Amino acid sequence: MVKTKKIPLRKSVVSNEQFPKKELLRIVYNKAGEISIDPTGKAAGRGAYIAIKNDEAKQAKQKRIFDRVFQTEIADRFYDELIVYVDHQVERKKLATVTYSIDEAPEI
């Protein structure tokens, strides 16, 4: 009998939807009161997840989600960095699925 590996699910603090952990981005708030993006998902501190979607990052800023989640005031600069980071990740994901035939491959 083949054992199927359990996929860890986490809830996005923006949409309250559950996603596989790999499809989410962890935001961590540490004891020193610093908030940061945690691409490894292993940084020490309290974590909250958002889906890697442009609209979720923008909603997080509009609703100041992380101010509420971590019960502290977070600078707009962090939200702006988050939006840029998520945009970048979304574009990378798109590129990973693009395939070119040899005729239409971009010149390097």
Side-chain angles (χ1 to χ4, degrees):
M1 195 164 120
V2 179
K3 205 173 188 182
T4 54
K5 197 173 180 189
K6 189 171 174 273
I7 299 168
L9 294 174
R10 296 290 180 271
K11 191 184 279 189
S12 164
V13 292
V14 177
S15 65
N16 271 331
E17 284 180 69
Q18 292 225 326
F19 294 96
K21 202 170 159 185
K22 281 187 170 32
E23 291 175 25
L24 295 167
L25 177 62
R26 184 170 185 255
I27 309 300
V28 70
Y29 183 71
N30 65 20
K31 281 195 172 111
E34 299 160 335
I35 187 165
S36 59
I37 295 168
D38 177 17
T40 63
K42 293 180 172 78
R46 204 160 146 238
Y49 294 87
I50 74 163
I52 302 175
K53 295 180 181 173
N54 304 52
D55 58 326
E56 286 226 357
K58 289 180 181 112
Q59 273 183 28
K61 182 179 181 179
Q62 280 174 346
K63 296 179 182 173
R64 303 201 64 83
I65 296 281
F66 295 109
D67 294 48
R68 253 199 330 250
V69 170
F70 298 125
Q71 297 173 342
T72 187
E73 198 168 309
I74 292 156
D76 276 345
R77 193 179 74 236
F78 171 76
Y79 285 106
D80 295 335
E81 281 175 29
L82 177 67
I83 290 168
V84 169
Y85 184 88
V86 169
D87 286 347
H88 181 72
Q89 293 301 320
V90 167
E91 289 307 313
R92 283 190 62 184
K93 205 177 265 186
K94 280 184 199 164
L95 280 178
T97 60
V98 173
T99 50
Y100 292 102
S101 74
I102 197 69
D103 306 322
E104 43 182 69
E107 290 297 315
I108 298 172

